[in-house]
Amino acid sequence: MTTDQSPLIRIADVDKTYRRGAEEIRVLAGLSLTVQCGEFLALMGPSGSGKSTLLNLLGGLDRPTRGTVEIGGERIDALSDRRLAGWRARHVGLVFQFYNLLPVMTAERNVELPLLLTHLSKADRRKHVATALAIVGLAHRTSHYPRQLSGGEQQRVGIARAIVTDPTLLLCDEPTGDLDRKSGDEILSLLQTLNREQGKTIIMVTHDPHASSRASRTVHLDKGQLSAAAPA
Amino acid sequence: MKFLYLVACNLRRKKLRTLLTLLSIGIAFFLFGLLGALKLALTGDVSIANADRLMTRHKVSIIQMIPISYQARIAAIPGVSGVTAQTWFGGIYQDPKNFFASMPVEPDEFLKMYPEFVVSDAHRQAWRTTRNGAIVGRTLMERFNWKVGDRIPLSAPIWRHADGRDAWEFEIVGTYEAARKSVDTSQFFFRYDYFDEGRGQNKGTISWFAVRVSDAARADAISAALDREFANSAYETKTEPEAAMMQGFAQQVGDIGAIITGILGAVFFTILLVSGNTITQGVRERTEEIGVLKALGFTNTLVLGLVLAESCLLAVLGGVGGLGAAWLMTIGGSPLPSLLPVFYVPTPHLMLGAGLMVALGLITGALPALQAMRLGVSEALRRQA
């Protein structure tokens, strides 16, 4: 997408409003943010501050009401739905709080899902899946179903699914929010490794100061705007 | 193909619900298959009827007899290239339940008129030289374990001898095979001269004439000429295409096509509701999973295709099972050979069934597929949160 030391993400003057009946809710208000390539950024803030909404805009899961979202030099807010889906598949890995694995599929098949959108052969897909599962330390759990895995292991499978296409950007929505401290630490260590050793740019939404301490930078959101403490 | 596993996984999600839906679809297609075989059994003769064959019978009803002397006058009408007489005999073998189609005919004329009945030269010759000889279809031979050379007594309550006896004795001198699968091989044909000499009443009469015309396009004009020939006589006639007469026979129990279409319509409407509900419920339960797939990069169109593929797979699996069971059940022959001699699921019906499976899948999957396609990613993920 772009080289190190250059901004990977530029968000300029972004508004996001939702309608609930006659009421209009402004979740993000004139927000601007720049993230360098290779950064590990923690997004913190109280509930309803707009963290997840911002993450959705960065992942191309939603569109801003106003303003621009530029990632890797591409204005993703201007892409059509179809092109945006393709862009997501190529450039973004998503990690969810509740793992969001498909319960009817083994770990291996869950990790393979994003690769179904590529032109890779079955053998190549298997190879990529094995590599991703090895990176998260689950090479021995490939044929287990999510219900047969612990929460920490399920989140590792979720991370393997997020990195299997080798995306530049990892977006993590409270990745340790459903885990005990030990498992959470393991996940945070894994994310740090991916950031430091593989150069992944990571943006992590969290409520937990302990989790945010693992990031290279933390920004705080309050009422849809970056708070004064955060460098924009 | 790489998405097939994903589609199949979704069907395995609620095994009992999928199984029950498959069963209900399977039963619908099983009925579809059996009713197709039944329709063929009741109306099949109509579809195999030749356009160049006409039937001339008494104007009032087929049970009224007409003189065999008409045969020469029919043969003399321009455009007629062949004519042969047939009479309903109604023979019974040993027990009233052993009833089958039996008719006295003139051997050479009859076999020339109906080339779909295939008889070997040796058996034809034996029939010509044996006065009480009979040619019997393969299915009927197998049903009663008869062999060529056997002497078979038949009783015919409507055709008694002059002394009041209703027993007739025949010698089986040959068998016939079908030139096509749809030809009935459960009939019994014997010589008209033997019959006419033995019967005590209505001598010199027959039930109907089969008439071949040299040009099928002129069949209407020749039919009219035939009926004009016997107008104002003691035995006025009605001539119609062979198919129309067969249709008349079949419709004695009602409009078979309409009855069967009605039953199938009701069955399929019910199945549409059942499987449509299953798919809709399944998709609704997977809202967040669909959101995740979209978040991973699955396009709206691909999600639409996956849901439609799922509903089509469900319909095809159930349909193939049901239709296959009906096909297997009928491939061995008719369960009631005396009533339904030709009984199998015809190939066009199987193809129609295949088309219906896909249509059922598309119709039942359309609404949930559209819902899944329109689902916004962030909205779906928010529902989970």
PDB file of all heavy atoms in Angstrom, chain B residues 84 105 143 284 311:
ATOM      1  N   THR B  84     -58.607 -52.237 -39.871  1.00  0.00           N
ATOM      2  CA  THR B  84     -58.723 -53.509 -39.153  1.00  0.00           C
ATOM      3  C   THR B  84     -59.742 -53.340 -38.025  1.00  0.00           C
ATOM      4  O   THR B  84     -59.915 -52.240 -37.484  1.00  0.00           O
ATOM      5  CB  THR B  84     -57.349 -53.963 -38.602  1.00  0.00           C
ATOM      6  OG1 THR B  84     -57.475 -55.288 -38.091  1.00  0.00           O
ATOM      7  CG2 THR B  84     -56.864 -53.067 -37.471  1.00  0.00           C
ATOM      8  N   VAL B 105     -58.932 -60.054 -33.022  1.00  0.00           N
ATOM      9  CA  VAL B 105     -58.482 -59.240 -34.160  1.00  0.00           C
ATOM     10  C   VAL B 105     -58.176 -60.163 -35.339  1.00  0.00           C
ATOM     11  O   VAL B 105     -58.105 -61.381 -35.179  1.00  0.00           O
ATOM     12  CB  VAL B 105     -57.206 -58.443 -33.805  1.00  0.00           C
ATOM     13  CG1 VAL B 105     -57.483 -57.452 -32.690  1.00  0.00           C
ATOM     14  CG2 VAL B 105     -56.072 -59.382 -33.401  1.00  0.00           C
ATOM     15  N   ARG B 143     -46.491 -62.199 -15.755  1.00  0.00           N
ATOM     16  CA  ARG B 143     -47.388 -62.069 -14.605  1.00  0.00           C
ATOM     17  C   ARG B 143     -47.987 -63.408 -14.195  1.00  0.00           C
ATOM     18  O   ARG B 143     -48.119 -63.709 -13.004  1.00  0.00           O
ATOM     19  CB  ARG B 143     -48.499 -61.073 -14.973  1.00  0.00           C
ATOM     20  CG  ARG B 143     -49.463 -60.793 -13.865  1.00  0.00           C
ATOM     21  CD  ARG B 143     -50.495 -59.781 -14.302  1.00  0.00           C
ATOM     22  NE  ARG B 143     -51.610 -59.743 -13.394  1.00  0.00           N
ATOM     23  CZ  ARG B 143     -52.798 -59.228 -13.662  1.00  0.00           C
ATOM     24  NH1 ARG B 143     -53.001 -58.664 -14.844  1.00  0.00           N
ATOM     25  NH2 ARG B 143     -53.757 -59.249 -12.776  1.00  0.00           N
ATOM     26  N   ARG B 284     -31.738 -15.444   8.941  1.00  0.00           N
ATOM     27  CA  ARG B 284     -31.934 -14.482  10.025  1.00  0.00           C
ATOM     28  C   ARG B 284     -31.024 -14.822  11.217  1.00  0.00           C
ATOM     29  O   ARG B 284     -30.451 -13.954  11.843  1.00  0.00           O
ATOM     30  CB  ARG B 284     -33.405 -14.467  10.452  1.00  0.00           C
ATOM     31  CG  ARG B 284     -33.787 -13.201  11.172  1.00  0.00           C
ATOM     32  CD  ARG B 284     -35.255 -13.189  11.520  1.00  0.00           C
ATOM     33  NE  ARG B 284     -36.119 -13.237  10.354  1.00  0.00           N
ATOM     34  CZ  ARG B 284     -37.145 -14.077  10.216  1.00  0.00           C
ATOM     35  NH1 ARG B 284     -37.433 -14.948  11.160  1.00  0.00           N
ATOM     36  NH2 ARG B 284     -37.880 -14.046   9.145  1.00  0.00           N
ATOM     37  N   SER B 311     -30.261 -22.538  -0.873  1.00  0.00           N
ATOM     38  CA  SER B 311     -31.661 -22.954  -1.031  1.00  0.00           C
ATOM     39  C   SER B 311     -31.807 -23.911  -2.220  1.00  0.00           C
ATOM     40  O   SER B 311     -32.596 -24.858  -2.187  1.00  0.00           O
ATOM     41  CB  SER B 311     -32.577 -21.741  -1.191  1.00  0.00           C
ATOM     42  OG  SER B 311     -32.202 -20.995  -2.319  1.00  0.00           O
TER      43      SER B 311
END
